[in-house]
Amino acid sequence: MILYDYVLSPSCYKVRLLASLLVAGIDLRPVDFHPGAEHHSPEFRALNPAGTIPVLKDAELVLTESGAILTYLAAVNAHEWLGHDDPEMQARVANWLAFSQRLTASAGAARLHDMLGFSGDIDALRVQATDALRELEAAIHARRRRGGIFLAADRPTIADIACFPYAALAPDGGVSLDSYPSIRLWMRAIRALPGFIEMPGIHRLHEQMPEPGPMPDVVRKESA
Amino acid sequence: MSSIWIPVALSQDILSGMAIPAHLPGHDLVVWRSASGRIAAWHDRCPHRGMRLSHGFVRGDFLSCIYHGWRYGENGHCSKIPAHPDLVPPAAIKVPRFDVREKSSVVWVAPTGQAGEPVDYRGFTGFRSLSVNAPADLIARAVEGEERLAGCSVVLLVQALQGRGCNLHVLAAEGYDTAQLDGLSLAIEVLRRRLEQAVAT
Ligand code: FES
């Protein structure tokens, strides 16, 4: 399996994260998204006409939507991550995979605006991101009222992985997460999963890292 | 009734070993709970280079800064500087603290050394905290005397956020079942939307 990947892309990170959690082997093929805009090249668009990343290629299968890629990885490697125990759970997962696109289109677009100077109505994007985060917060609180924390089941599923990165990186787009206590606890639960990996801006639980040594850790300061 | 005690979070939202950001008028705070369960509220600024301590991490009964790992004990004093393991940090390196109490499963914060205790809403417990994008005084007036929502007895606490609207901390009487609390959660969402629309028009 080959993942066409960009290290700073939260959508690519979803795939890398799930692969790591499932201990599934994938080969990374770096795409020079910025500044090279390689995803616009004729060669790349022959692979994915939409010119988006991530792309997963497995023999003749080419997948260009992160939700489909997560579904495929889980179906091949660890069925329980699909959340297909019963019709209700299955529908919940499908709903969250679709919902994750709203996070991408709002919080993700606000982040691209603020970090890479992409165009967009930043105020409108932040309002949309806030709406999506509020919906996520209410849903996680409902799970907490039932003794859970994950979105679709009493265990993590691809629904959580699909929604996690853009929610976690919302502050990069000027959307504070300070007033979302249930999202904070949910992100903490995901960051504590065995096999969790980081991307720039998203850290594992530091409680579980080794004591800092004599050399200073190099840690990105918040861009607030 | 006005009180110097400000509700900044619900107890249930800060697990042992967690540090979270919170706000008082004019101050950013880190509120954190030690492994032994004790809660503390400090300035959200590391004395070393100013990093937000709410990005830091808790080990045992210490809060460590994420930037260079300076470690602070519950009295706010720096107890360890990893880059200089043999140095005993000078007593002057100290994070300013606030007074903090947990009552009715609400975390209350006040400047140190003030008299009085926060209100104890006996029989109530923290339900949800949520932000409202509208000025705190308007919201406080709008929800004043609001004691029932979706058939549940509630207490609504408004916390002003500087330039960022306010937080609403909702307490519910103890003993409701899941269906009743689902109804309450929806009613809170409706209330927030109404309040924000009223301010916007
Ligand atoms: S800024 Fe906190 S340890 Fe350096």
Side-chain angles (χ1 to χ4, degrees):
Chain A
M1 265 185 233
I2 299 169
L3 176 68
Y4 291 79
D5 180 53
Y6 176 58
V7 66
L8 291 177
S9 156
S11 294
C12 294
Y13 168 65
K14 292 178 192 182
V15 182
R16 296 196 303 270
L17 174 57
L18 184 68
S20 174
L21 293 168
L22 303 187
V23 201
I26 50 172
D27 295 317
L28 300 182
R29 175 88 46 93
V31 176
D32 183 9
F33 179 81
H34 187 82
E38 188 188 340
H39 56 301
H40 291 321
S41 70
E43 290 77 11
F44 189 84
R45 295 190 70 165
L47 179 71
N48 176 15
T52 57
I53 45 171
V55 174
L56 188 82
K57 193 169 181 312
D58 190 19
E60 290 170 11
L61 180 69
V62 176
L63 298 172
T64 58
E65 298 293 335
S66 62
I69 297 173
L70 297 178
T71 302
Y72 182 64
L73 269 183
V76 169
N77 294 284
H79 223 255
E80 64 277 14
W81 281 79
L82 287 174
H84 281 187
D85 298 13
D86 55 56
E88 184 182 322
M89 189 189 291
Q90 184 166 356
R92 274 183 205 279
V93 170
N95 210 65
W96 285 118
L97 290 183
F99 171 88
S100 71
Q101 299 304 319
R102 275 179 55 207
L103 281 173
T104 308
S106 56
R111 177 174 176 271
L112 286 177
H113 175 279
D114 283 15
M115 290 188 72
L116 298 183
F118 281 34
S119 64
D121 179 347
I122 187 64
D123 293 333
L125 291 174
R126 287 181 185 148
V127 168
Q128 290 158 16
T130 300
D131 274 344
L133 290 169
R134 285 177 171 189
E135 184 174 341
L136 189 61
E137 170 77 17
I140 298 168
H141 195 270
R143 303 298 301 178
R144 291 175 68 196
R145 296 199 288 279
R146 289 155 175 81
I149 190 69
F150 297 110
L151 290 177
D154 58 8
R155 60 174 191 268
T157 65
I158 53 174
D160 300 286
I161 306 308
C163 294
F164 170 69
Y166 282 108
L169 293 169
D172 283 348
V175 180
S176 167
L177 287 174
D178 287 4
S179 295
Y180 297 90
S182 296
I183 290 179
R184 181 180 297 119
L185 289 166
W186 168 73
M187 294 194 306
R188 195 177 159 85
I190 294 172
R191 290 160 66 217
L193 292 172
F196 181 86
I197 53 165
E198 307 185 333
M199 75 164 270
I202 300 181
H203 304 292
R204 80 184 70 241
L205 278 192
H206 299 95
E207 292 79 339
Q208 299 172 347
M209 301 213 297
E211 283 283 319
M215 287 299 290
D217 291 328
V218 178
V219 177
R220 194 186 67 123
K221 269 204 178 188
E222 196 186 32
S223 56
Chain B
M1 190 182 86
S2 85
S3 161
I4 52 153
W5 291 96
I6 293 177
V8 298
L10 299 180
S11 296
Q12 64 185 16
D13 293 333
I14 313 174
L15 307 179
S16 286
M18 262 178 90
I20 71 161
H23 305 279
L24 289 185
H27 291 289
D28 288 334
L29 304 183
V30 52
V31 181
W32 65 281
R33 194 186 293 284
S34 67
S36 52
R38 254 190 310 244
I39 198 102
W42 296 353
H43 275 222
D44 195 10
R45 221 181 119 73
C46 179
H48 179 220
R49 300 265 303 270
M51 186 67 179
R52 287 178 68 176
L53 287 169
S54 54
H55 289 311
F57 53 96
V58 179
R59 274 214 182 90
D61 291 336
F62 297 89
L63 177 64
S64 292
C65 176
I66 190 158
Y67 207 18
H68 314 96
W70 289 28
R71 184 204 271 179
Y72 303 91
E74 285 175 292
N75 56 9
H77 284 283
C78 183
S79 68
K80 185 179 173 190
I81 297 175
H84 304 280
D86 301 329
L87 179 85
V88 177
I93 304 178
K94 183 173 191 258
V95 188
R97 292 181 298 161
F98 291 84
D99 279 344
V100 59
R101 301 277 188 281
E102 292 189 274
K103 283 255 171 75
S104 319
S105 63
V106 175
V107 179
W108 301 85
V109 174
T112 43
Q114 310 267 346
E117 290 294 315
V119 183
D120 190 358
Y121 295 97
R122 252 167 234 281
F124 285 84
T125 188
F127 178 58
R128 276 192 69 185
S129 291
L130 63 170
S131 63
V132 183
N133 192 10
D137 51 335
L138 289 182
I139 297 311
R141 227 175 299 140
V143 303
E144 192 171 7
E146 191 86 66
E147 288 163 355
R148 290 192 80 75
L149 276 177
C152 298
S153 293
V154 294
V155 173
L156 302 178
L157 303 172
V158 179
Q159 174 200 0
L161 300 175
Q162 213 156 31
R164 279 167 295 195
C166 57
N167 281 339
L168 194 57
H169 303 286
V170 182
L171 283 57
E174 285 160 0
Y176 292 123
D177 64 24
T178 306
Q180 288 170 304
L181 293 177
D182 284 349
L184 176 57
S185 192
L186 281 179
I188 293 167
E189 300 282 343
V190 171
L191 175 68
R192 168 163 66 184
R193 234 173 249 281
R194 288 232 175 90
L195 293 170
E196 291 184 341
Q197 280 169 1
V199 168
T201 51

